[in-house]
Amino acid sequence: MFHQIDLDQIDISTVPPLEEPERQYYFMAKMREVVQSEAKRLGRPLRVFNLVVGCQMNAKDSEKLLGILKEIGYVETEQEEQADLVVYNTCTVRENANQKVYGRLGYLKRLKQVNPSMQIVLCGCMMQEPNVVATIKKSYHFVDVVFGTHNIFKLAELLYTRQESGSMVIDIWEGTKDIVEDLPTQRKYAFKSGVNIMFGCNNFCTYCIVPYVRGRERSRDPEEIIKEIRELVADGVVEVMLLGQNVNSYGKTLAQPISFAQLLRRVEQVEGLKRIRFMTSHPKDLSDELIEVMSQSKKICRHLHLPLQSGSSRILERMNRHYTKEQYLELADKIRRAVPDISLTTDIIVGFPGETEEDFQETLDVVRKVRYDSAFTFIYSKRTGTPAAAMEDQVPEDVVKDRFSRLLKEVQQISAEMSSRDTGNVVEVLVEGINEHRDGYLDGRMSNNNLVHFKGDPSLIGSLIPVRLDESKGFYYMGTEV
Ligand code: 5AD
Ligand code: SF4
């Protein structure tokens, strides 16, 4: 376990070990020396600013990066201008995320002119794209370290290499079979945590860049997962979110295969753990066994995120999703029958190449039939290198925008109706923090992922308590502690 390792005990006068994670402990100890001497010179600790965008996976990766940096001696700052080290953990699932990064790099260039010793690190999915790295090399010379999604555990080593070489360090791996365990993390919340159960994706939905930037599916050993969850619980965590691009195919490639449902059964047995969530489920792999485990479980939350993407079977086939509209509807029905109080949420893309008004009407039809608690709606974004980018019949922008706003209206109306269905009930909530808009109020999260605002003492943060849902405000409730 990482926090039993004492960096002071590591002999940094010798050559670095070749084995992981020992090699990284060595570089953490090396970098700590560098950071300590710089902090002494400045008369203050060194500060890191971390910007993370994108999905839960990225959020978890940033916790790992910050864990390493804290170990090295950095303290976190919210003020980018005051940072000695700036880390951008990027997303590339849609094109506009990339544009934002280039925009911010312009701003960082100016900051670095004022403070030349500022270090800039770029990592995450966007860096796995060769054209991005080429652009950074050519036009953004002031960047210090660039790495991707497969080697975030190497942060200390890369910072040290930058220190020694004096020039930009780029380390992008195309993929990896290995999963390096036992590195530090800095959790954002004391009482809940994401837990990676698998990395990568093998599905190759034709619009999606994730399989190219996150690599092939690799599952973590169930023993490692359970060990991590036990440690988290011992450290005060009551809720875990099991993370994977497609959790339903967890375990298939392990030497001793195990299903996601079996893993959930094991996680359920961890004493002291109160709530289990998971993200994301691919409809094609959602098994009856999983539905059964969910219906029997006392800890698995009453929420399932089940990305639809499109309601048209014709478009679903072009998307390579491996299910039809009818199969999706049947699955949603089956889940609702087994777990009647479940909240279903989804992702929908509008404007996929070749989408006609009839196809779009099929999507609206599914939205009306399933009645999602909430839905993330996206305008199709062309990602270079994916099969859909080469499809000829791209939909004109004005048509897509019109469909998008019609979809959003429908989704919002249904979700306001759905989210109010528990009015008057008393539910258990996990108190997550102080409400930012109302003095004296707290935010509580229900099992079905909805939020309730209620009056309460901040000492309740992190505990599970009963709250009455007095009034629905569409996307959240106002409630009273009971
Ligand atoms: N364009 C728009 N949305 C996309 N998503 C993935 N790739 C694209 C793309 N090229 C959406 C999908 C996925 C979510 C995480 O992002 O809906 O479920
Ligand atoms: Fe992308 Fe499809 Fe994999 Fe999800 S399942 S990450 S949408 S390729």
Side-chain angles (χ1 to χ4, degrees), residues 93-94 207 309 347 349 378-381 383:
V93 79
R94 283 167 292 273
Y207 50 82
Q309 312 303 3
D347 294 341
I349 298 174
F378 305 108
I379 286 181
Y380 166 72
S381 169
R383 308 308 291 121

Side-chain angles (χ1 to χ4, degrees), residues 348-351 355-365 367-368 375 377-379 395-415:
I348 300 170
I349 298 174
V350 282
E355 185 190 72
T356 62
E357 178 61 25
E358 290 71 44
D359 294 316
F360 176 65
Q361 287 299 330
E362 302 272 16
T363 300
L364 286 180
D365 188 43
V367 166
R368 289 180 193 128
T377 51
F378 305 108
I379 286 181
V395 185
E397 204 182 312
D398 55 332
V399 176
V400 180
K401 284 198 168 142
D402 174 59
R403 284 180 198 159
F404 183 77
S405 62
R406 282 190 280 153
L407 174 66
L408 199 63
K409 212 169 130 208
E410 192 80 36
V411 155
Q412 284 177 341
Q413 192 187 332
I414 293 173
S415 95

Side-chain angles (χ1 to χ4, degrees), residues 265-283:
R265 283 204 174 96
R266 291 196 53 187
V267 176
E268 175 109 15
Q269 281 159 17
V270 173
E271 224 168 290
L273 182 67
K274 299 280 177 22
R275 279 183 168 182
I276 305 166
R277 298 185 185 277
F278 53 84
M279 186 85 110
T280 290
S281 286
H282 193 308

Side-chain angles (χ1 to χ4, degrees), residues 117-273:
S117 63
M118 175 188 256
Q119 300 255 300
I120 298 168
V121 172
L122 301 178
C123 61
C125 293
M126 190 177 152
M127 301 305 131
Q128 292 290 143
E129 291 183 89
N131 63 326
V132 169
V133 176
T135 306
I136 290 167
K137 257 199 217 161
K138 189 164 159 251
S139 312
Y140 298 89
H141 300 271
F142 55 92
V143 170
D144 294 285
V145 178
V146 180
F147 58 97
T149 55
H150 301 293
N151 51 350
I152 58 165
F153 66 91
K154 272 185 75 178
L155 176 62
E157 178 172 352
L158 297 174
L159 286 173
Y160 189 73
T161 311
R162 169 69 186 81
Q163 178 76 22
E164 293 297 284
S165 71
S167 55
M168 189 193 287
V169 172
I170 299 177
D171 191 15
I172 311 286
W173 296 6
E174 266 191 35
T176 180
K177 287 198 175 62
D178 299 329
I179 298 172
V180 179
E181 301 281 357
D182 293 326
L183 284 162
T185 66
Q186 168 77 17
R187 285 205 316 276
K188 189 169 173 203
Y189 299 94
F191 51 86
K192 66 172 187 177
S193 177
V195 174
N196 295 114
I197 63 165
M198 59 196 300
F199 302 92
C201 181
N202 284 356
N203 290 313
F204 291 96
C205 302
T206 52
Y207 50 82
C208 187
I209 202 164
V210 169
Y212 306 91
V213 297
R214 289 255 169 200
R216 295 293 65 71
E217 241 168 62
R218 281 148 291 143
S219 293
R220 255 178 103 191
D221 181 348
E223 300 305 327
E224 292 285 353
I225 296 169
I226 298 296
K227 187 175 119 199
E228 180 179 342
I229 296 175
R230 286 211 184 100
E231 285 167 12
L232 287 168
V233 170
D235 201 29
V237 164
V238 290
E239 176 180 305
V240 290
M241 163 89 88
L242 307 179
L243 298 173
Q245 245 77 38
N246 177 14
V247 291
N248 296 330
S249 65
Y250 169 78
K252 288 183 181 160
T253 53
L254 285 169
Q256 288 176 319
I258 149 172
S259 69
F260 179 53
Q262 285 166 329
L263 176 73
L264 280 172
R265 283 204 174 96
R266 291 196 53 187
V267 176
E268 175 109 15
Q269 281 159 17
V270 173
E271 224 168 290
L273 182 67

